[in-house]
Amino acid sequence: MTDKTSQIKQEFFEKLKEVKDIADLENIKVQYLGKNGTVTALMKDMKTLDADMKKQFGQVVNQLKTEVSNAVSDKFEELKKAAVEKEINSMADFDVSTPANLERGSYHPITLVQRECEKIFKSMGFTVEDYSEIVTDYECFESLNIPKHHPARDMQDTYYLENGQLLKTQTSAAQNAIYKKYKDALINEGKPIKAIFPGRCFRNEATDACHENTFFQMEGVMVDKNISISNLIFFMKTMLSEVFRKDIKVRLRPGFFPFVEPGFELDISCLICGGDGCPSCKHSGWLELCPCGMIHPEVLKAGGIDPEEYTGFAFGLGLTRLAMMKYGVKDIRDLNSGNLKSLSQFTDDE
Ligand code: DAH
């Protein structure tokens, strides 16, 4: 009988060596420890033995049973670990520190508004440009007709790097590069420049409910022969009516920006009262939304475009402000707060 148990044991461990996965292991577990398994059968054999032998043999069989079940459990752990490691290695980008059971995320309200504007402008033939957040003084100011010591710089103090570059204070900083990128197609092939460039801007700003040191804008430019203020009004009105899903009235007031001439502040009819006057629009019926204007000849020149031949408009839409208006966010700081409870309530309503 003892010979039989050692033979079973030897056979079991040999088979165990061949096991490759959990399914194999389950099979041999059933084969040896299952109801009709080899080890279980030995227990049944014991019934036929006399009392003395039963005791002796019982101990041997019990030991075998323990060894077999321990070996099965160890192998199980080993296979499980190997499977997890294999899975982790197969996902190079998998972040194992991410908490499990994360709820599905949602887009940030500014992203939602940005994507919506991009879609609308794309449908009107504009390209969407990506531009660096770190720019040169030339890009952010000089090329925009804001020379050193110009008072317009006072309102746009920002964060400077040791190499003299800076975090852009306005998406207008990409204008020069965009003109240079597309001017050949404009001049040689007569293709108008129609581009928008959304981006994050930074200013050295004391924060309150309406001001943040980090905010989003979306700049747009269109340059061609005979571009006029009417083109500017048309594009802005179309875009805003789509964003707010209703007909939006717009009006222009004079505004000063060194890179446009004439420059304007574009107001929209109040979204709450529709223009009748209410506390939200300080009873004026209008909300200030988007500075804009006709691109200054010096700015076109700096971009390699002849202002005698071409004209264009530019606008700087405050995306952060637009998101606040669209979603009724009262405090700008909520948008950068990382508070998921307030940020995840907005969805793409398409
Ligand atoms: N860049 C300006 C700002 O951040 C906004 C602006 C005004 C952009 C007029 C424009 C424009 O393109 O035409 O204050």
Side-chain angles (χ1 to χ4, degrees):
M1 275 304 218
T2 329
D3 279 356
K4 196 172 172 191
T5 53
S6 18
Q7 197 193 333
I8 293 174
K9 183 171 156 184
Q10 197 185 345
E11 213 182 85
F12 166 78
F13 278 102
E14 258 156 36
K15 281 194 182 159
L16 192 67
K17 270 194 225 149
E18 305 294 311
V19 164
K20 295 216 168 39
D21 53 29
I22 290 181
D24 283 353
L25 186 64
E26 288 295 341
N27 280 342
I28 92 160
K29 187 177 168 190
V30 173
Q31 228 175 324
Y32 284 83
L33 300 172
K35 243 207 229 143
N36 302 314
T38 322
V39 177
T40 322
L42 282 177
M43 301 282 212
K44 286 179 192 157
D45 285 354
M46 276 198 314
K47 281 187 206 143
T48 58
L49 300 174
D50 63 36
D52 247 11
M53 285 294 282
K54 213 183 237 173
K55 194 174 166 202
Q56 233 184 50
F57 186 66
Q59 277 172 355
V60 176
V61 174
N62 266 337
Q63 202 191 335
L64 174 67
K65 195 179 163 193
T66 316
E67 277 178 56
V68 169
S69 15
N70 285 349
V72 168
S73 312
D74 290 351
K75 189 76 186 174
F76 181 73
E77 289 304 319
E78 186 190 315
L79 288 171
K80 211 167 71 177
K81 210 170 138 204
V84 171
E85 265 167 22
K86 192 171 158 208
E87 178 141 1
I88 289 174
N89 290 338
S90 72
M91 292 190 275
D93 305 338
F94 183 69
D95 181 0
V96 280
S97 63
T98 308
N101 301 327
L102 274 185
E103 277 174 33
R104 222 174 136 214
S106 58
Y107 285 113
H108 190 280
I110 295 179
T111 309
L112 289 174
V113 171
Q114 177 181 326
R115 286 162 64 114
E116 194 165 4
C117 293
E118 285 177 6
K119 205 169 136 198
I120 298 165
F121 273 101
K122 267 197 218 162
S123 75
M124 297 192 285
F126 283 70
T127 58
V128 181
E129 311 285 333
D130 193 15
Y131 206 69
S132 168
E133 286 175 355
I134 297 175
V135 295
T136 60
D137 186 275
Y138 178 78
E139 290 169 297
C140 202
F141 301 119
E142 295 268 346
S143 68
L144 292 167
N145 208 21
I146 312 175
K148 294 223 160 43
H149 312 300
H150 191 291
R153 288 195 182 210
D154 287 355
M155 285 152 66
Q156 300 202 13
D157 186 20
T158 182
Y159 304 89
Y160 285 82
L161 278 68
E162 275 166 7
N163 65 6
Q165 290 187 312
L166 46 110
L167 295 188
K168 72 169 179 244
T169 58
Q170 46 183 349
T171 42
S172 314
Q175 279 197 26
N176 190 258
I178 302 297
Y179 301 143
K180 287 177 176 157
K181 181 173 170 188
Y182 291 113
K183 72 173 171 30
D184 290 342
L186 170 75
I187 298 164
N188 303 330
E189 298 161 40
K191 278 194 190 154
I193 301 178
K194 289 166 90 179
I196 52 164
F197 20 111
R200 183 154 47 175
C201 303
F202 307 85
R203 286 188 198 176
N204 180 7
E205 192 95 58
T207 56
D208 61 28
C210 307
H211 297 90
E212 253 292 14
N213 50 30
T214 307
F215 54 93
F216 290 79
Q217 290 185 339
M218 194 182 80
E219 191 89 359
V221 293
M222 177 168 181
V223 183
D224 198 359
K225 289 189 170 151
N226 303 319
I227 295 293
S228 70
I229 298 170
S230 331
N231 297 108
L232 167 67
I233 296 176
F234 167 78
F235 280 107
M236 296 315 290
K237 199 169 157 10
T238 309
M239 194 271 296
L240 294 167
S241 299
E242 295 253 354
V243 169
F244 292 107
R245 309 256 194 275
K246 56 175 153 179
D247 192 34
I248 297 283
K249 275 192 243 137
V250 299
R251 75 169 185 190
L252 295 179
R253 285 179 292 119
F256 174 72
F257 303 93
F259 37 91
V260 280
E261 181 57 37
F264 307 104
E265 291 288 354
L266 182 141
D267 297 337
I268 60 170
S269 48
C270 177
L271 299 164
I272 315 270
C273 63
D276 297 339
C278 70
S280 285
C281 58
K282 298 195 191 105
H283 302 283
S284 70
W286 295 96
L287 296 170
E288 188 179 314
L289 185 70
C290 175
C292 52
M294 299 306 291
I295 304 165
H296 196 288
E298 289 302 325
V299 175
L300 286 176
K301 252 194 243 167
I305 296 169
D306 180 2
E308 296 291 329
E309 220 179 313
Y310 299 96
T311 50
F313 66 76
F315 61 87
L317 187 65
L319 277 184
T320 301
R321 200 171 150 73
L322 192 59
M324 289 173 75
M325 280 185 182
K326 175 155 181 175
Y327 295 112
V329 177
K330 297 235 158 47
D331 192 322
I332 192 171
R333 291 166 293 193
D334 287 343
L335 292 171
N336 284 357
S337 70
N339 179 348
L340 293 182
K341 268 205 185 126
S342 62
L343 294 176
S344 60
Q345 60 188 306
F346 307 103
T347 48
D348 212 337
D349 50 358
E350 279 170 31

